[in-house]
Amino acid sequence: MFTLNHVSYSYKADSPVRAQALSDISLSIKKGECVGLIGHTGSGKSTLAQILSGLLTPTSGTVSFEDTPLFIKNKFNRALRGQIGLVFQYPEYQLFEETVLKDIAYGPMNLGATQSEAFHKARTAAQLLGLSEEVFDKSPLQLSGGQKRRVAIAGILAMEPQVLILDEPTAGLDPEGREELLKILKNLHKSTGNTTILISHSMDFVAGFTERIIVLNRGSLWMDGTPQEIFSDPEKLKVAGLAPPPVSELFSLFGFPVPPVFTAEEAVSALLPYMHQGGGSVCK
Amino acid sequence: MDNSTVCRIEHVTSHYTTEDDTQKLVLDDISLDIRRGEFLAVLGRNGSGKSTLAKHLNAILLPSGGKVWVDGMDTTDEELLFEIRRRVGMVFQNPDNQLVSSVVEDDIAFGPENLGVSREEIRARVDEALEAVGLTEYKDRSPHMLSGGQKQRVAIAGIIAMRPDVVVLDEPTAMLDPKGRDEVMETMMLLNKGIHMTVVLITHFMEEAIMADRVCVLSDGKLALSGSPASVFSEEETLQKLGLTLPPAAAIAQGLRKEGYPIPKDCLTMDALAKAICPYLKEGFPCSH
């Protein structure tokens, strides 16, 4: 789907305060793949997301989308408009329409859909995100935080992009909201088969959702592999300012090899072979 | 109100009027004393009233019913507003929205300058605040060039420099990476244990709440649960109803109990859990813990 060749990006490239955000990134992302993108603050995740969605033109290097160049003469290739959907951080701040459905339909209308087409797409997208009919005519401002976020994601989805890029979709949500969104996004990926790229600081969220994780460190490609491969190397992650999901810390404490565990249940199953019944225990 | 209580929330209700003119209750008869020097974590679903409660602590919001007292001062008394705001400082979720200057130490000086503190005193307070958050070597930098965790520590330093009695932090780590989150948590612990500042932390992260002296859980604007982390996180069923999860270590302990291992419910940290698991490790896995 995406092929990046030696992509670099500098903010204010022509000025003395030039800041290099990405250096020499080469990678490819396959159609239908679900990829997690992690890294410390300032590692270049959001810059990369904006390049992949055509908002920023690389300072050097090339990006192609299904064999078509993503940029032509340093500008986004307009033939690809609507193909790549980017959900920004805190997307609910961008809700503005009078009703939920109108807000979701805004994207497709902009891409030239008729009103009835746009509303049809909006309904479909809303349903995919688990928003019920009752909220369609409400003001987006009346909804809960988790619902608002889903409305914003539906607005992107209604444009029927082939790629969905989500930047920190769970930031600020409560544990239930995180859990719910994870479930919805998993189902969404299953039913649409979209290529999905997920940026997050929440390691358990990324581990629970993706098949492949790309780690950026100071603008460079640091690691690329399955969640199992990535999280079984806590030392290398640590250098990049990251840590494996919290449950795996227990294994490091015992000096056991860190197994690919992301949930408490998985940690328990991985622990049992080391344990025997009997013996006493005190905690504190 | 005796001197050990720094903030008293007394039967506070709070509501706002929605677009269609109905009254929506956000806080429903909450009473809570915040003790001087304690580290209090406030948990609850999105929309449960946590941030609204926090904003009552320094008169950003005033109660619709009931009273809030800060150091014995009624927050509805406009003449005391300045004193109240000086005593209770707030740190919000997004560090970028809270920084005002292009140099770190100027940013920290902004608060005390506004309090009319003398030049020498400001210098001393800024240095002290920089040291408290571990950013002394960054004092001449631009905040915009710092990492998320560092920016948030600058915001905290700006509050400390005003010498408040209480620091209220509303999801200060929501936008940070794991390292930034650790930095901010360490800073909070240092403020609380080191210089005995009262800390009120609103968070969605259970692993942060376990570090507090006391945990309060809000649900639909009511105080649903309050107690030590060990007692609150042992109420597994209630927690689930309140939309909360167990901290990672407690969740593993719960799983092991289901497998027949009597791991106690008060294992909240990975260290404590490791200790509790030790006696059950098979031979050949010596427990160095």
Side-chain angles (χ1 to χ4, degrees), chain B residues 14-233:
Chain B
S14 172
H15 47 71
Y16 67 89
T17 313
T18 59
E19 282 171 17
D20 44 6
D21 271 333
T22 48
Q23 299 266 308
K24 189 153 171 10
L25 200 59
V26 190
L27 296 179
D28 185 1
D29 192 18
I30 292 213
S31 293
L32 176 69
D33 277 0
I34 298 171
R35 292 189 283 270
R36 207 174 286 282
E38 85 169 318
F39 179 176
L40 175 71
V42 183
L43 302 174
R45 286 191 175 92
N46 288 118
S48 60
K50 302 182 301 296
S51 297
T52 305
L53 182 68
K55 286 177 184 150
H56 277 81
L57 292 176
N58 70 348
I60 294 176
L61 292 175
L62 299 175
S64 316
K67 287 273 180 212
V68 177
W69 306 91
V70 174
D71 260 344
M73 295 179 288
D74 179 350
T75 58
T76 56
D77 187 340
E78 271 183 47
E79 288 187 4
L80 297 172
L81 196 58
F82 193 82
E83 277 304 306
I84 289 167
R85 296 254 165 95
R86 193 179 67 72
R87 282 178 168 76
V88 182
M90 292 199 72
V91 176
F92 298 97
Q93 201 176 89
N94 188 345
D96 288 317
N97 295 347
Q98 301 169 67
L99 302 174
V100 292
S101 167
S102 56
V103 180
V104 166
E105 61 176 355
D106 292 353
D107 197 282
I108 299 171
F110 181 79
E113 268 169 11
N114 275 306
L115 294 178
V117 173
S118 74
R119 264 189 87 79
E120 304 78 64
E121 173 74 14
I122 290 176
R123 183 70 261 167
R125 286 191 187 192
V126 169
D127 289 341
E128 182 190 279
L130 277 165
E131 204 181 312
V133 301
L135 286 177
T136 304
E137 57 181 308
Y138 293 90
K139 68 183 167 74
D140 300 321
R141 298 274 195 94
S142 162
H144 309 284
M145 304 298 277
L146 302 181
S147 73
Q150 288 168 336
K151 282 183 199 170
Q152 198 60 298
R153 279 146 70 202
V154 173
I156 295 174
I159 297 297
I160 301 174
M162 303 213 287
R163 299 249 170 98
D165 295 339
V166 184
V167 186
V168 182
L169 304 106
D170 193 351
E171 291 192 53
T173 64
M175 299 184 75
L176 305 182
D177 59 23
K179 187 161 167 262
R181 218 178 280 162
D182 287 347
E183 286 170 11
V184 168
M185 283 309 291
E186 267 167 40
T187 305
M188 256 186 285
M189 293 307 286
L190 218 69
L191 290 183
N192 180 251
K193 303 292 173 250
I195 57 176
H196 308 292
M197 199 168 277
T198 311
V199 173
V200 179
L201 170 69
I202 295 174
T203 184
H204 285 311
F205 294 108
M206 305 304 136
E207 54 270 47
E208 294 177 1
I210 60 173
M211 294 162 89
D213 301 318
R214 186 156 64 120
V215 177
C216 288
V217 185
L218 295 191
S219 179
D220 288 328
K222 292 193 184 72
L223 190 60
L225 212 53
S226 167
S228 68
S231 74
V232 166
F233 288 114

Side-chain angles (χ1 to χ4, degrees), chain A residues 116-167:
Chain A
S116 72
E117 274 170 4
F119 274 83
H120 177 73
K121 288 179 181 185
R123 280 173 187 279
T124 312
Q127 275 151 7
L128 280 169
L129 279 155
L131 293 161
S132 63
E133 295 265 349
E134 297 130 50
V135 304
F136 287 1
D137 294 323
K138 282 194 181 170
S139 156
L141 305 178
Q142 284 177 300
L143 306 184
S144 74
Q147 283 175 320
K148 276 187 206 165
R149 190 154 303 177
R150 284 188 272 145
V151 171
I153 299 174
I156 301 295
L157 208 64
M159 295 192 272
E160 299 175 344
Q162 295 193 45
V163 181
L164 187 63
I165 306 176
L166 300 132
D167 195 351

Side-chain angles (χ1 to χ4, degrees), chain A residues 40-41 89-90 172-176 178 201 241 246 253-254 264 267-268 271-281 283, chain B residues 45-46 93 148 171 175-177 179 204 206 243 248 251-252 259-262 264 266-267 270 274 276 279-282 285:
Chain A
H40 59 85
T41 321
Q89 289 182 23
Y90 294 85
L173 293 185
D174 59 29
E176 267 180 342
R178 289 200 291 259
H201 284 318
L253 280 177
F254 284 127
V268 169
L271 263 176
L272 289 176
Y274 293 106
M275 296 175 70
H276 68 91
Q277 299 280 354
S281 111
C283 210
Chain B
R45 286 191 175 92
N46 288 118
Q93 201 176 89
E171 291 192 53
M175 299 184 75
L176 305 182
D177 59 23
K179 187 161 167 262
H204 285 311
M206 305 304 136
I252 297 177
E259 296 290 336
Y261 294 94
D266 59 357
C267 292
M270 287 297 170
Y280 300 103
L281 288 184
K282 282 180 186 162
F285 298 114

